[in-house]
């Protein structure tokens, strides 16, 4: 039995969305896809999903690795909205530390120089389609470095749930909430685990005070296996069809 046909899998999600409706609440669904560098069949598949479900994708592109084929492909994929994903996607953390390209131990002057160089290259490659949103590799950037971003021209920042700006602020922050990949095995996570986690996160959002709470999916199209793609098909089909869910556009989420 295919994932799409396994109706029992989705019953907890349907029940949670009904609770949103009963409470008169609406959740804004959006998604971000990281590590784009070139045209590929997987990028085509992502674009097709985005088009079919009317859900634009914030596409985080690695500036210093991006290839001309990506620019050519994106001209035919208007629902994939490119933004900057770090610089080289290199780990600068010390041995044993969590991977990060923009950790606290790096000098602000070095960070600023790299960001400007990478932003210029990406703008030259992608032109006006490039959004002024920054996505740090591994969802990590020291808050002091995040505070530099507005001066460089970034109006948005996206990490993963739990990340917060520091006392010096930064651009508009919109985090993703649900990562569909199991990075230890580098495969799609079990669908039952993802549905359970999505329901827990949605329940917590429903208990908050934000009338237009957003729920972001985190994708990596280059690494998806069939389990990941099948989950996306089933999840998007059910979420986008429910009246308690609004399709989110990254340009509006970041106030662009």
């Amino acid at each position: 039995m295919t994932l799409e046909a396994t109706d029992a899998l989705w019953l907890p999600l349907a029940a949670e969305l009904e609770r949103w409706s009963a409470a008169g609440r609406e959740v804004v669904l959006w998604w971000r896809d990281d590590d784009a560098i070139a045209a590929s069949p997987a990028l085509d598949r992502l674009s097709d999903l985005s088009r079919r479900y009317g859900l634009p994708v914030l596409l985080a592109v690695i500036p210093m690795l991006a290839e001309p084929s990506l620019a050519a492909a994106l001209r035919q994929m208007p629902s994939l909205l490119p933004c900057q994903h770090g610089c080289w996607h290199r780990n600068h953390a010390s041995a044993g530390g969590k991977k990060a390209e923009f950790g606290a131990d790096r000098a602000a002057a070095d960070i600023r120089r790299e960001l400007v160089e990478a932003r210029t290259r990406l703008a030259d490659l992608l032109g006006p389609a490039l959004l002024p949103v920054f996505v740090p590799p591994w969802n990590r950037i020291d808050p002091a470095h995040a505070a530099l971003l507005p001066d460089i021209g970034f109006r948005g920042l996206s990490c993963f749930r739990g990340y917060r700006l520091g006392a010096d602020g930064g651009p508009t922050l919109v985090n993703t909430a649900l990562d569909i990949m199991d990075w230890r095995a580098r495969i799609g996570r079990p669908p039952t685990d993802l549905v359970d986690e999505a329901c827990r996160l949605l329940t917590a959002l429903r208990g908050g005070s934000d009338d237009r709470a957003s729920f972001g999916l985190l994708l990596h199209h280059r690494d998806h296996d069939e389990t990941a793609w099948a989950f996306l098909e089933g999840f998007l089909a059910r979420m986008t069809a429910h009246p308690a869910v609004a399709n989110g556009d990254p340009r509006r989420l970041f106030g662009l």
Side-chain angles (χ1 to χ4, degrees):
M1 181 177 292
T2 65
L3 178 62
E4 292 84 347
T6 311
D7 291 335
L9 170 69
W10 306 103
L11 290 177
L13 180 64
E16 175 56 27
L17 293 178
E18 284 303 303
R19 296 183 191 104
W20 278 78
S21 289
R25 301 287 306 280
E26 184 177 67
V27 61
V28 178
L29 176 67
W30 72 287
W31 51 353
R32 193 187 91 208
D33 183 276
D34 289 1
D35 298 350
I37 57 172
S40 68
L43 188 73
D44 294 341
R45 195 165 181 177
L46 178 67
S47 176
D48 179 64
L49 277 176
S50 175
R51 178 185 54 80
R52 284 194 284 118
Y53 290 105
L55 195 63
V57 179
L58 183 65
L59 186 73
V61 180
I62 304 173
M64 307 309 286
L65 303 181
E67 301 175 7
S69 69
L70 178 65
L74 292 182
R75 285 194 288 271
Q76 308 303 317
M77 300 174 176
S79 67
L80 303 189
L81 309 175
C83 70
Q84 183 170 333
H85 191 32
C87 295
W88 288 93
H89 207 299
R90 288 175 177 164
N91 177 29
H92 289 270
S94 56
K98 291 184 177 180
K99 291 181 178 180
E101 192 169 19
F102 307 103
D105 55 341
R106 298 195 65 202
D110 293 340
I111 296 292
R112 182 185 292 273
R113 183 179 63 255
E114 284 187 12
L115 289 175
V116 170
E117 179 186 9
R119 189 168 189 261
T120 299
R121 182 181 190 274
L122 202 55
D124 289 345
L125 182 66
L126 300 179
L130 181 65
L131 297 185
V133 176
F134 186 73
V135 176
W138 302 287
N139 294 291
R140 297 188 183 103
I141 181 170
D142 184 75
H145 297 323
L148 302 173
L149 295 174
D151 288 342
I152 300 172
F154 292 103
R155 294 173 56 190
L157 171 65
S158 183
C159 297
F160 194 62
R161 66 176 191 258
Y163 180 84
R164 297 291 181 267
L165 295 170
D168 293 329
T172 299
L173 176 65
V174 185
N175 289 332
T176 52
L178 183 68
D179 188 344
I180 71 170
M181 294 295 293
D182 175 351
W183 289 109
R184 289 170 296 184
R186 218 173 184 86
I187 58 175
R189 294 173 57 195
T192 52
D193 292 354
L194 287 169
V195 171
D196 288 347
E197 185 173 349
C199 289
R200 291 196 302 270
L201 293 169
L202 286 167
T203 298
L205 274 178
R206 180 166 48 84
S209 59
D210 188 352
D211 288 336
R212 292 277 292 180
S214 66
F215 184 86
L217 293 174
L218 178 55
L219 318 181
H220 289 76
H221 71 275
R222 292 168 54 198
D223 296 288
H224 289 180
D225 58 7
E226 286 305 316
T227 296
W229 288 117
F231 171 80
L232 280 175
E233 283 276 6
F235 189 81
L236 293 174
R238 286 153 181 84
M239 289 286 286
T240 58
H242 199 281
V245 179
N247 282 9
D249 186 317
R251 291 164 291 197
R252 288 197 296 271
L253 288 170
F254 290 97
L256 305 178

